[in-house]
Amino acid sequence: MAGVSVTPPEVLLSKRVQEMVINGEEPPSPYISRDDGDEDASSPSASQLIPIIDLRLILSSTNHHTSEEKEEEELQKLKSALSSWGCFQAVGHGIPSSFLEEVRKVTRQFFEQPMEVKKKFEKGVEEFDGYGADPTPAPGQSLDWSDRLFIDVYPQDRIKLHLWPTNPVSFRDVLERYTKEMKRVIELVSKAMAKSLNLQEDCFLNQFGEMALLQARFNYYSRCQRPDLILGLKAHSDGSGYTIILQDTEVEGLQVLKDDKWVTVPTCPHSLFILMADQMQIMTNGVFKSPVHRVLTNMEKERISVAMFYTPELAKEIGPEDGLINQETPRLYKKVTDYAKTHWDYYQQGKRALHTAHA
């Protein structure tokens, strides 16, 4: 795998994984994050199928073709999915499949450009926003076999337009439209989650705040010679409120941990994969789960994805909804502010941060 000398992580992170693959370099040892005996996934069974939720059937007030009975049935499916899995495949979200493919297309086109073009949007090793890799993790933590472009898309005053690619030429327009679509889906999903718990439908939207953050992460997972030893993205939970992921149409790789077994999320070209994060687990007083997930590498094919993180506005206090706290279900979490920062500190050490919010 590597020679006697080990290249420091900060030096490796100044290079792009895609560039190493093009140059035929073997994966250096700091990328090794798995044991040979680490199972990729258990054989899927009926109990291990990722739940599918049809958003068209939810919130019948906006869909006159849906009966209240069907809406209630889908809301209960949503509650069950998020209580047991913490994630679901969303169909009926109202975004045309042709446009989802356009988002994937500009993502691929960006990463397939010459390195000197992409480096116009490059970040420093210890910076977060821009093109490159995540900042250097704590000593002893492995590196991810992936490159990414991370940019703020809302609110307006957080947008660093110089980090928004100008090639392909349609990238900015596509991202602007995708952001608008994400805001619409987020409003729908947030209200649906509240209704599934018999809460006031705007309660989660109010906790996140009007200036809640939307951040886009465009991921490129290069081919890897040793998928048995190296991960595209190490196991973790997200520190946002929740995350909406547009997956590759052909190559699988995303896995969630369910009952101590890794389950592969299937490709579903017309769906959005919606994943709860730590702050939704806090807001629901532990009813909804924030699942640990990871991304595998592939020896033969590259893989792309686009993750949109929805996070409460800065300096805004969030906590469990009062309607979910009573004598039978006491408060599990305290109120917290800027939890995402705490989460990141622990993530860099390969740890979860939810215990810091325990009541």
Side-chain angles (χ1 to χ4, degrees):
M1 288 289 295
V4 175
S5 60
V6 178
T7 306
E10 57 271 19
V11 175
L12 290 173
L13 291 173
S14 67
K15 303 171 65 176
R16 302 282 60 78
V17 169
Q18 189 179 7
E19 196 171 19
M20 286 191 276
V21 172
I22 291 172
N23 293 337
E25 299 176 35
E26 289 191 0
S29 59
Y31 286 94
I32 297 176
S33 57
R34 304 177 62 187
D35 298 323
D36 284 296
D38 183 10
E39 294 292 333
D40 282 352
S42 57
S43 299
S45 66
S47 62
Q48 292 175 326
L49 296 177
I50 304 291
I52 299 174
I53 303 297
D54 190 344
L55 297 180
R56 288 172 297 188
L57 301 179
I58 292 177
L59 301 175
S60 58
S61 60
T62 63
N63 186 350
H64 300 299
H65 300 290
T66 302
S67 67
E68 289 186 10
E69 184 179 348
K70 286 186 176 180
E71 179 190 10
E72 183 57 34
E73 181 180 335
E74 205 68 12
L75 285 172
Q76 288 309 306
K77 283 176 60 179
L78 176 65
K79 178 182 177 181
S80 175
L82 296 181
S83 300
S84 58
W85 284 84
C87 59
F88 63 95
Q89 297 269 32
V91 297
H93 44 67
I95 305 176
S97 296
S98 59
F99 180 63
L100 293 182
E101 188 51 43
E102 185 69 21
V103 177
R104 295 186 183 101
K105 179 182 177 182
V106 297
T107 301
R108 291 190 190 94
Q109 288 176 336
F110 171 76
F111 286 108
E112 288 171 356
Q113 294 179 109
M115 203 60 62
E116 58 267 22
V117 176
K118 290 177 288 192
K119 285 187 175 181
K120 296 176 183 177
F121 310 99
E122 195 169 36
K123 55 181 274 308
V125 169
E126 299 306 330
E127 296 173 337
F128 201 88
D129 295 357
Y131 167 65
D134 285 344
T136 310
Q141 293 300 305
S142 60
L143 307 182
D144 297 322
W145 193 253
S146 56
D147 300 307
R148 89 311 189 260
L149 172 69
F150 189 97
I151 44 182
D152 287 279
V153 298
Y154 188 85
Q156 195 71 29
D157 63 3
R158 287 183 58 87
I159 292 177
K160 303 180 181 73
L161 202 57
H162 66 281
L163 295 177
W164 286 43
T166 50
N167 280 306
V169 292
S170 61
F171 190 100
R172 291 185 176 185
D173 288 340
V174 169
L175 181 52
E176 284 182 3
R177 179 181 169 188
Y178 191 60
T179 299
K180 291 177 182 177
E181 294 284 12
M182 288 293 98
K183 291 176 73 175
R184 181 184 58 78
V185 171
I186 283 167
E187 181 175 357
L188 172 60
V189 171
S190 297
K191 288 181 176 181
M193 291 192 297
K195 289 190 72 172
S196 78
L197 296 169
N198 297 314
L199 299 172
Q200 196 276 329
E201 71 173 14
D202 288 333
C203 67
F204 294 132
L205 290 170
N206 292 337
Q207 283 222 55
F208 277 87
E210 291 184 5
M211 305 302 284
L213 308 183
L214 273 180
Q215 297 164 306
R217 179 177 174 128
F218 299 82
N219 299 302
Y220 187 86
Y221 300 98
S222 294
R223 289 175 287 107
C224 182
Q225 298 175 26
R226 295 302 304 270
D228 57 324
L229 296 177
I230 293 171
L231 289 169
L233 194 60
K234 64 177 72 71
H236 67 286
S237 65
D238 287 350
S240 56
Y242 58 95
T243 308
I244 302 178
I245 302 172
L246 179 64
Q247 291 211 89
D248 197 295
T249 54
E250 297 180 2
V251 185
E252 295 178 344
L254 178 62
Q255 294 186 323
V256 294
L257 191 63
K258 176 75 161 60
D259 300 328
D260 296 322
K261 294 181 179 179
W262 289 109
V263 180
T264 299
V265 181
T267 57
C268 187
H270 312 302
S271 75
L272 297 170
F273 185 66
I274 300 183
L275 183 83
M276 295 298 99
D278 286 2
Q279 295 195 59
M280 276 305 299
Q281 183 162 330
I282 293 169
M283 290 185 203
T284 61
N285 202 40
V287 177
F288 292 169
K289 303 301 187 287
S290 171
V292 172
H293 52 287
R294 68 182 186 180
V295 177
L296 302 182
T297 51
N298 189 297
M299 188 181 294
E300 299 177 354
K301 294 183 178 180
E302 301 83 8
R303 179 177 178 274
I304 58 101
S305 69
V306 181
M308 188 72 76
F309 300 97
Y310 179 50
T311 306
E313 63 185 50
L314 298 177
K316 193 173 190 307
E317 186 177 71
I318 63 106
E321 282 292 325
D322 291 338
L324 299 175
I325 299 171
N326 52 51
Q327 283 188 327
E328 295 180 356
T329 56
R331 176 185 293 272
L332 297 180
Y333 298 100
K334 61 187 178 183
K335 293 184 177 181
V336 295
T337 303
D338 293 337
Y339 171 85
K341 294 180 181 178
T342 302
H343 171 275
W344 177 252
D345 290 340
Y346 278 85
Y347 172 81
Q348 287 292 77
Q349 302 172 56
K351 301 175 182 178
R352 295 197 68 173
L354 264 174
H355 68 278
T356 65
H358 285 168

